[in-house]
Amino acid sequence: MADREGAVVKKGHEEGLKMAVSLLEEFGLPLGLLPLADVIEVGFVRATGYMWINQRKKVEHQFKLVSKQVSYDVEVTGYVQAKRIKKLKGVKAKELMLWPPVNEIIVDDPPTGKIHFKSLAGVTKTFPVEAFAAGQ
């Protein structure tokens, strides 16, 4: 795929997870944002910010501090920039009985302690950043 030209690719859970977390850290995003289970591959194209994550099965994670159930598909893709992920695919956050896709994640800069999740429908949900810290 043209998207993936010039990518750094890590295979396997340990290496892939390490790379995903180091990208979150580098771009100022909360480290618990991607609670991945069984990673097959993670890739990142520095020139464009395009990132992909492949995992063996869909993961559902409960962020306890905000009582938010989030589902991560077998493939998650998006464009990572400072304090944001754009054109995100493969991530859904449960709203009542629905699972609307999350299209963009933005951390306030300068920091206010808030993180915003936008859906394609134009709905934005705001939460405290610490709810998505590592280990949450």
Side-chain angles (χ1 to χ4, degrees), residues 20 38 41 51 53 61 63 68 74-75 79 86 92 100 113 115-116:
D38 199 352
E41 173 181 291
M51 175 178 88
I53 297 164
H61 183 81
F63 289 99
K68 189 48 86 181
V74 291
E75 181 166 79
Y79 290 84
K86 292 172 70 168
K92 295 179 174 132
I115 183 167
H116 312 278

Side-chain angles (χ1 to χ4, degrees), residues 73-124:
D73 233 323
V74 291
E75 181 166 79
V76 173
T77 65
Y79 290 84
V80 188
Q81 304 170 330
K83 306 275 190 201
R84 76 171 21 176
I85 303 174
K86 292 172 70 168
K87 296 185 182 167
L88 187 61
K89 292 191 173 79
V91 178
K92 295 179 174 132
K94 191 168 187 189
E95 282 305 325
L96 304 171
M97 303 309 286
L98 302 171
W99 289 87
V102 177
N103 184 42
E104 191 168 0
I105 298 173
I106 304 160
V107 174
D108 282 347
D109 192 16
T112 60
K114 300 278 183 233
I115 183 167
H116 312 278
F117 294 80
K118 288 185 177 176
S119 75
L120 283 169
V123 178
T124 300

